[in-house]
Amino acid sequence: METEPTEDIDQPLRDRLKAHPGPALLWGAVLCVLLLLEGPTYLDGLLGAIGYGLALLPGSPGAEAFASASAFFGELPHLLSRELIPNRGYYDGSAWQGTFLGLEPKYAWLIRFLLVYAYVAVLLGWLWYGYVLFRRHYRAADWTPTDDVIDRLRSHYWGLFGLAVVVFFITMAAFAPVIGPTTAEENIEGPYSYDMQYYNEDTETVENITIGEANLGSASRGSGDSNVGIWSYDDFGRFHPVGTLVSGKDLFTFLAFGARVSLFIGLGSMAIAGVIATTLALVTAYYKGVADLIVVLTSDSVQAMPALLLVILATVVFKNHWIAELYNGAMLFILLFALIRWPGLWRAVRGPALQVGEQEWVDAAKSYGQRPTVIMRKHMAPYILGYLLVYASLTLGGVIISVSALSFIGLGITAPTPEWGRAINIGQQYVASQSWHISLIPGLLITLVVTGFNALSDGIRDAIDPQSEGAEGGAAGAAAGGGGG
């Protein structure tokens, strides 16, 4: 895609924006509208995360203030709120009451679910259009190496499949309070603290019952009346897209909030491991010699230890420690997986870092007397971040599998915090019955998400390095790239 000609290729971006502000202003205005439509959701999540982090610090005075602010924004109406498109209601014998436009709960929920993903698609599409506008109107150069990387990724069908799966997973986690048929407070944390109305067909009257009691009557524990399967209602008029658990809780809500836990652990551990790996790669590539030897020996020592056994041992040792209580064990797993995974990431970016360290521009920066930290940050780091992204996304899938495996054997995230591996564990005895959905659906989701991250990493790798296996181009190249992880 060609850019419009500019008078001065060295003209600052700010001046180019002033000379032709129309497209940028229009794009920014539409983006603001899109963000404001879901503004309370973003602020609720951000302030809640800050408040939770402050609560972990002893004697922190600001935790309650952030929690209160989060609750305030959480109650404000927004485009995709449960209050605007409710799916919780009851049948009074003639019509549904309390649902969106009086529709059946399944249709009301489906509308909200589809609107969430339509909103995300529009938002991502508009962000992409902003990049196109930048290339067309405001970028001085007609071409940059990034253009070729993006073009190769756009034609890498295996990588695009991975991108679609990752977007689906992240959206599920980010909008979990909205896309679930019920809330985490009602479904997971305190079902006996909330009431609901339902239509009793025997007495032909509308009655009240606690959600906990309703869950007891909606448990999936075999076949016949002891099962609430996929895309069905329970005896209390509640719709369950993928059935219920053995406790009668909604499985879809459990999976949505479980995605948050998996994503939090995966991204948290990869962020810490990535910082460690990048820092050590830059230091060893710059100083070489003894520094490189020390890191090699340290990484070999860490990788020589059986990773899963080490995690299991640490989980048992820290079982009653205060750090194991943070987010029901999630923080402990973040630190453990960061400790275990950084050597692999470091070895993945060590080679590119050493290559960059030998380039002429690095020698020129040294001759001009720039500090080592400045050279590493400005002249070396940008060239290895792409490789780090590839291997971090590939490793993240392994973290998700490991967390699920630990939860499966009872050493992972503790209840009531939802985790996909625990759902597989509690439903394994019903795999051969009509309640197969309890184990099979979380298992399929884990497989799909891990495959998606691997496919995306293959696509990014082939886009960055066209000489890599699977980057030959076309469908054949994309298929080959899928097997290269």
Side-chain angles (χ1 to χ4, degrees), residues 97-160:
Q97 303 295 329
T99 60
F100 179 65
L101 299 178
L103 297 173
E104 281 190 42
K106 64 180 178 182
Y107 298 124
W109 171 82
L110 185 60
I111 289 173
R112 192 172 70 239
F113 177 85
L114 294 177
L115 283 177
V116 167
Y117 280 93
Y119 169 80
V120 172
V122 171
L123 180 60
L124 294 178
W126 194 250
L127 291 175
W128 168 255
Y129 182 64
Y131 172 72
V132 173
L133 286 179
F134 170 73
R135 289 175 57 173
R136 182 180 300 167
H137 297 288
Y138 302 109
R139 195 176 67 182
D142 291 335
W143 172 89
T144 67
T146 305
D147 296 344
D148 285 345
V149 172
I150 292 177
D151 290 341
R152 284 193 291 267
L153 182 59
R154 291 175 64 186
S155 61
H156 197 290
Y157 300 117
W158 179 243
L160 293 178

Side-chain angles (χ1 to χ4, degrees), residues 208-251:
N208 290 327
I209 189 174
T210 65
I211 293 179
E213 292 176 315
N215 288 345
L216 292 178
S218 306
S220 294
R221 298 179 180 176
S223 58
D225 295 336
S226 300
N227 179 66
V228 179
I230 297 177
W231 208 256
S232 61
Y233 292 89
D234 59 22
D235 292 337
F236 304 93
R238 299 180 300 177
F239 174 66
H240 303 282
V242 292
T244 62
L245 294 161
V246 295
S247 60
K249 298 177 180 180
D250 180 69
L251 178 57

Side-chain angles (χ1 to χ4, degrees), residues 38-50:
E38 280 295 297
T41 299
Y42 302 134
L43 292 173
D44 178 21
L46 176 62
L47 295 174
I50 295 175

Side-chain angles (χ1 to χ4, degrees), residues 397-408:
V399 173
I400 293 176
I401 288 181
S402 299
V403 173
S404 299
L406 291 169
S407 297
F408 178 81

Side-chain angles (χ1 to χ4, degrees), residues 241-290:
V242 292
T244 62
L245 294 161
V246 295
S247 60
K249 298 177 180 180
D250 180 69
L251 178 57
F252 188 93
T253 304
F254 185 93
L255 295 176
F257 283 92
R260 280 190 161 188
V261 177
S262 299
L263 186 64
F264 177 69
I265 295 176
L267 292 181
S269 60
M270 286 302 98
I272 297 175
V275 170
I276 296 174
T278 302
T279 302
L280 293 178
L282 294 175
V283 170
T284 55
Y286 186 88
Y287 291 104
K288 305 180 179 67
V290 176

Side-chain angles (χ1 to χ4, degrees), residues 93-394:
S94 59
W96 286 96
Q97 303 295 329
T99 60
F100 179 65
L101 299 178
L103 297 173
E104 281 190 42
K106 64 180 178 182
Y107 298 124
W109 171 82
L110 185 60
I111 289 173
R112 192 172 70 239
F113 177 85
L114 294 177
L115 283 177
V116 167
Y117 280 93
Y119 169 80
V120 172
V122 171
L123 180 60
L124 294 178
W126 194 250
L127 291 175
W128 168 255
Y129 182 64
Y131 172 72
V132 173
L133 286 179
F134 170 73
R135 289 175 57 173
R136 182 180 300 167
H137 297 288
Y138 302 109
R139 195 176 67 182
D142 291 335
W143 172 89
T144 67
T146 305
D147 296 344
D148 285 345
V149 172
I150 292 177
D151 290 341
R152 284 193 291 267
L153 182 59
R154 291 175 64 186
S155 61
H156 197 290
Y157 300 117
W158 179 243
L160 293 178
F161 164 77
L163 178 61
V165 172
V166 170
V167 169
F168 175 85
F169 173 66
I170 294 177
T171 302
M172 186 179 187
F175 288 89
V178 177
I179 65 174
T182 183
T183 65
E185 292 80 8
E186 296 180 3
N187 187 67
I188 300 172
E189 298 173 2
Y192 286 94
S193 300
Y194 297 91
D195 296 329
M196 59 168 288
Q197 292 180 307
Y198 75 101
Y199 181 71
N200 190 326
E201 296 182 354
D202 295 333
T203 61
E204 297 184 350
T205 58
V206 176
E207 300 180 2
N208 290 327
I209 189 174
T210 65
I211 293 179
E213 292 176 315
N215 288 345
L216 292 178
S218 306
S220 294
R221 298 179 180 176
S223 58
D225 295 336
S226 300
N227 179 66
V228 179
I230 297 177
W231 208 256
S232 61
Y233 292 89
D234 59 22
D235 292 337
F236 304 93
R238 299 180 300 177
F239 174 66
H240 303 282
V242 292
T244 62
L245 294 161
V246 295
S247 60
K249 298 177 180 180
D250 180 69
L251 178 57
F252 188 93
T253 304
F254 185 93
L255 295 176
F257 283 92
R260 280 190 161 188
V261 177
S262 299
L263 186 64
F264 177 69
I265 295 176
L267 292 181
S269 60
M270 286 302 98
I272 297 175
V275 170
I276 296 174
T278 302
T279 302
L280 293 178
L282 294 175
V283 170
T284 55
Y286 186 88
Y287 291 104
K288 305 180 179 67
V290 176
D292 188 52
L293 178 61
I294 293 175
V295 178
V296 167
L297 293 176
T298 304
S299 66
D300 286 345
S301 300
V302 175
Q303 289 187 309
M305 295 183 290
L308 189 58
L309 182 60
L310 180 63
V311 172
I312 294 175
L313 179 62
T315 303
V316 175
V317 171
F318 289 96
K319 184 176 183 180
N320 296 320
H321 196 272
W322 63 270
I323 196 173
E325 298 178 359
L326 303 181
Y327 204 0
N328 289 332
M331 288 301 301
L332 175 61
F333 285 116
I334 287 177
L335 297 177
L336 289 174
F337 284 113
L339 175 65
I340 293 171
R341 301 287 182 171
W342 74 260
L345 294 181
W346 172 74
R347 288 189 175 275
V349 298
R350 175 174 175 264
L354 288 171
Q355 292 178 353
V356 173
E358 299 294 334
Q359 298 300 320
E360 296 178 354
W361 64 78
V362 175
D363 293 335
K366 292 179 181 178
S367 65
Y368 276 106
Q370 286 191 343
R371 297 191 307 273
T373 55
V374 175
I375 295 175
M376 294 179 202
R377 186 180 71 253
K378 295 181 63 175
H379 303 295
M380 297 176 65
Y383 293 90
I384 68 173
L385 291 181
Y387 295 95
L388 180 68
L389 178 61
V390 171
Y391 289 97
S393 60
L394 187 64

